[in-house]
Amino acid sequence: MSSSADRGHELSGFSLHVEKGEILGILGHHYAGKHKILELLTGRCRREPDSGIVFFEEMEYDWTDYAEAASKAVVFLEKDSYLFDRMTIEENVELLWKLHRKKRMGTHRARRRLIQVMLSEYGFELDPRLHVFELTELEKMRLQLIVGLQKQTKLICIDFSGTEWTRSEFRKWKQLFSELTDRGMGVIIFDHQMSSLQTLSDRVAFLYRGRILKVMENVPAEKVKMDQAIRTLFPERGDQNYQKNRAKSEDMVLNIQDLPLNNGKSLTLPLRKGEFTVVYGSDMDTFAMLQEQFGSRRIAGQDGGKELRLEFIDIRYIDSVIEEVSPLENCVLGLLHRFAVLGFTKSSALRYIEKDFAQWYGDDRLLQLADSRNLARRERVALNLYRIRLRRPQIIFFSDIYLQNDLAAVRMVSDQILEFLGDGAAVCMLTSDYNFSNSLVDHYVILGEKNGERDG
């Protein structure tokens, strides 16, 4: 399949197959094309794919016919429940039955008995008279799945991205998947985390920028190759040797105490040398307010010490350049005076930058271009990161790294953050995504909560 996208990545030559009775796990980053794939698999895509072929139960379909077949045989589940919270489990099931079966299911007592039998058959032991708002997210998803199975289900697509598992819930889902695959149904699980996919799936597919790059059997013999693939595509989840190069210290470089924010919350934020801190519950307004509060690139250090260099990085614009000037000029904008203070002439500073950039980026041709009009996104990101690198900031604030919907850009920013941490900079990311976690992080801070800090 190939299909353009309104958001995230388009699908470019996307291919996969799922056997009867098989569980396929798909591991992908934010904006890797997951939502577009789910729309295609479930027949809910608002416009036809640009190209591609669908075979469903060994029959070839055009898009219109497949969309109709999928509506009858494909069940789709995500955390955004379509159940009515103020209705009971029993009332929700009755309503959904009417939609699926289009006929009454006997008397009220008979329907209640049928519902109890159906729920217990799939290990859903909760009282049908409970209201839906009393259920956990995973219990709601399991209830939707059980009701959806009243169709002639052949394929189940589930989005577990960001799910926080408990051991009991995980065991229940694993048992349920075992029963479904024994009945010949295919299952596709989407997730950002490898841990659940390695336990639940038979094969794991690696999704990157709208393409399946690699599909591997989930067996012990393939574990080493699988770990290598994860390190390549998702470097922040792979090898942890970078910890040896972290210049951590107990030295406090900046200590924000009860800073009032526009949303009524307050921020207490201790930043230490060489440590990575994530602030939960913050949005772009918080980022802008901090930037306004510490607008100068230099502030006084702790206890009136030496001035500290600050940097604010808005990830949304990390690929922005001035197209009319050359890549070299983009690199040195506002920085030549720093070289002059060190005794460099303009020409000698430019020669040094050309040599240093080529060594850092691995390509000496980029800075030779006359203008920046036709640069690839990766090249634009590199110019901005190198300019920040030249400033050698000691405190860095940046917005959520996944606001940049390009995995290559995310990887470049992640690598540069590692370099900053290795140089002893204090790094802080502000995000509204409470599900964000990363092995790089030393501390998490929750806005507005007195005891909101926890160790990474």
Side-chain angles (χ1 to χ4, degrees):
M1 283 287 176
S2 292
S3 180
S4 54
D6 298 323
R7 60 186 180 122
H9 284 297
E10 63 183 17
L11 301 184
S12 177
F14 167 81
S15 300
L16 65 74
H17 77 277
V18 187
E19 303 285 348
K20 291 182 179 180
E22 179 190 34
I23 301 176
L24 175 67
I26 297 184
L27 180 69
H29 237 303
H30 293 271
Y31 300 103
K34 175 189 68 182
H35 286 289
K36 176 64 73 174
I37 293 167
L38 284 168
E39 287 178 351
L40 287 170
L41 291 172
T42 55
R44 301 181 303 139
C45 197
R46 285 175 292 176
R47 59 186 180 204
E48 292 188 14
D50 302 327
S51 61
I53 303 172
V54 179
F55 289 91
F56 189 58
E57 293 195 290
E58 301 182 358
M59 291 181 58
E60 183 177 345
Y61 284 81
D62 62 26
W63 175 247
T64 305
D65 290 339
Y66 173 72
E68 184 179 348
S71 67
K72 298 175 182 177
V74 179
V75 173
F76 168 55
L77 300 173
E78 59 182 343
K79 286 192 294 183
D80 294 331
S81 169
Y82 54 72
L83 301 172
F84 293 94
D85 280 353
R86 293 294 168 183
M87 291 171 62
T88 64
I89 294 173
E90 185 178 59
E91 290 167 340
N92 270 282
V93 172
E94 281 193 43
L95 180 62
L96 293 169
W97 260 359
K98 290 175 184 177
L99 294 174
H100 288 316
R101 294 175 177 253
K102 300 180 181 179
K103 65 179 181 179
R104 290 185 63 82
M105 300 297 296
T107 65
H108 178 72
R109 180 177 292 181
R111 291 198 300 274
R112 173 174 288 185
R113 179 60 184 157
L114 277 170
I115 290 169
Q116 289 176 333
V117 170
M118 178 192 72
L119 295 178
S120 62
E121 182 183 357
Y122 291 101
F124 198 86
E125 302 297 344
L126 296 177
D127 187 344
R129 291 169 293 184
L130 281 175
H131 286 85
V132 167
F133 69 80
E134 300 177 74
L135 306 182
T136 65
E137 282 184 349
L138 285 167
E139 286 172 341
K140 290 178 185 179
M141 290 175 71
R142 198 147 49 94
L143 178 58
Q144 291 177 80
L145 174 57
I146 293 169
V147 176
L149 291 173
Q150 305 311 301
K151 302 193 294 185
Q152 299 298 314
T153 305
K154 305 294 183 184
L155 178 65
I156 301 163
C157 300
I158 303 181
D159 181 9
F160 279 143
S161 302
T163 299
E164 294 186 10
W165 293 96
T166 63
R167 286 187 178 181
S168 60
E169 278 289 352
F170 196 84
R171 283 196 301 269
K172 290 173 184 176
W173 277 96
K174 191 173 181 180
Q175 177 62 33
L176 180 56
F177 285 145
S178 178
E179 293 176 11
L180 298 177
T181 52
D182 286 345
R183 298 183 186 189
M185 299 180 198
V187 180
I188 301 178
I189 301 173
F190 293 81
D191 207 338
H192 298 320
Q193 302 296 328
M194 190 63 185
S195 54
S196 61
L197 296 182
Q198 281 183 313
T199 307
L200 294 173
S201 56
D202 301 307
R203 291 185 297 140
V204 177
F206 295 91
L207 177 65
Y208 175 67
R209 300 184 71 176
R211 289 192 301 145
I212 296 291
L213 293 188
K214 197 175 189 66
V215 182
M216 305 187 72
E217 296 292 330
N218 193 8
V219 294
E222 295 288 341
K223 187 178 185 309
V224 173
K225 292 181 181 178
M226 197 173 288
D227 289 343
Q228 289 173 346
I230 293 170
R231 281 198 294 272
T232 301
L233 294 173
F234 312 102
E236 73 277 15
R237 304 178 191 176
D239 191 76
Q240 305 297 311
N241 288 336
Y242 64 82
Q243 295 287 3
K244 297 176 184 177
N245 301 318
R246 296 283 290 276
K248 289 187 183 182
S249 168
E250 291 301 315
D251 296 342
M252 189 84 71
V253 290
L254 181 66
N255 193 6
I256 301 172
Q257 291 287 337
D258 295 323
L259 176 69
L261 303 175
N262 292 334
N263 54 13
K265 296 180 179 180
S266 62
L267 176 63
T268 295
L269 183 62
L271 296 178
R272 297 178 179 85
K273 182 179 178 181
E275 289 194 347
F276 186 9
T277 303
V278 169
V279 179
Y280 283 144
S282 50
D283 51 22
M284 292 308 299
D285 290 339
T286 307
F287 183 84
M289 192 169 182
L290 281 171
Q291 195 166 12
E292 183 179 344
Q293 180 79 15
F294 305 103
S296 171
R297 292 198 185 277
R298 291 175 179 269
I299 62 170
Q302 289 289 105
D303 302 321
K306 188 178 178 180
E307 283 190 336
L308 299 171
R309 296 182 296 276
L310 270 76
E311 189 71 42
F312 287 85
I313 306 174
D314 191 336
I315 296 295
R316 296 174 300 174
Y317 308 119
I318 195 67
D319 57 350
S320 298
V321 296
I322 300 175
E323 295 187 344
E324 291 75 16
V325 304
S326 69
L328 179 58
E329 289 173 297
N330 269 294
C331 273
V332 300
L333 286 173
L335 292 174
L336 284 178
H337 69 282
R338 292 189 60 187
F339 287 89
V341 171
L342 296 173
F344 282 83
T345 63
K346 181 178 178 180
S347 58
S348 62
L350 291 178
R351 285 197 300 274
Y352 166 78
I353 289 170
E354 285 179 334
K355 183 178 179 180
D356 186 55
F357 180 87
Q359 185 176 359
W360 173 77
Y361 186 60
D363 187 347
D364 59 355
R365 294 168 296 179
L366 177 57
L367 296 190
Q368 309 302 320
L369 298 175
D371 60 56
S372 305
R373 286 188 174 86
N374 298 313
L375 300 183
R377 176 179 286 183
R378 176 184 173 84
E379 294 168 334
R380 292 166 177 257
V381 172
L383 294 178
N384 281 300
L385 288 177
Y386 183 74
R387 186 167 65 249
I388 295 168
R389 183 173 176 269
L390 284 178
R391 293 191 188 118
R392 300 187 66 80
Q394 293 160 292
I395 303 172
I396 302 159
F397 292 95
F398 66 99
S399 55
D400 191 334
I401 195 170
Y402 292 115
L403 290 176
Q404 177 62 246
N405 64 358
D406 182 89
L407 186 57
V410 169
R411 180 173 181 175
M412 291 175 70
V413 174
S414 298
D415 288 345
Q416 190 56 51
I417 288 171
L418 283 176
E419 186 176 322
F420 288 140
L421 290 169
D423 291 338
V427 178
C428 178
M429 186 183 93
L430 294 92
T431 178
S432 58
D433 181 7
Y434 284 90
N435 291 318
F436 176 87
S437 64
N438 192 298
S439 54
L440 286 174
V441 180
D442 298 292
H443 301 286
Y444 296 88
V445 174
I446 303 173
L447 273 186
E449 297 188 15
K450 276 192 175 180
N451 300 316
E453 184 175 344
R454 65 180 175 86
D455 289 336

